[in-house]
Amino acid sequence: DVQGGYQGRTNKDADTCYSFWIGASLEILGEARLVEAPAIRAFSEICEGAMIGGFSKMPGVTPDPLHTYMTLSGFALLSTAAGGGG
């Protein structure tokens, strides 16, 4: 059981792209403080493609450009949520 990532809806697996979609929504609503940055960062790191680089949507899946972009965008939001220290 992988923990730490956002789910798009109930009973769905966590997916790295939601670090951007949900993180950005919380940022827009002024509620970035609700983000658990260490958990999001840990989930994203286990989705990193060690052999080819990039990030996959979830552990055990091949990394792809979309999820890599969304994960990196999510990391940028984590820096904002942490007051620039992400």
Side-chain angles (χ1 to χ4, degrees):
D1 184 31
V2 178
Q3 305 252 339
Y6 289 119
Q7 298 167 280
R9 58 184 181 269
T10 307
N11 296 323
K12 293 264 305 180
D13 291 329
D15 186 322
T16 55
C17 70
Y18 291 117
S19 65
F20 169 73
W21 293 118
I22 294 173
S25 296
L26 289 171
E27 182 74 27
I28 289 168
L29 293 170
E31 296 295 336
R33 63 184 173 74
L34 298 175
V35 173
E36 292 186 37
I40 298 301
R41 189 174 287 110
F43 176 75
S44 297
E45 287 173 355
I46 63 172
C47 296
E48 185 177 2
M51 295 294 288
I52 63 171
F55 292 91
S56 61
K57 68 184 289 174
M58 61 186 61
V61 178
T62 303
D64 63 81
L66 173 75
H67 287 89
T68 298
Y69 176 79
M70 293 297 185
T71 302
L72 294 174
S73 297
F75 280 157
L77 289 167
L78 292 180
S79 294
T80 302

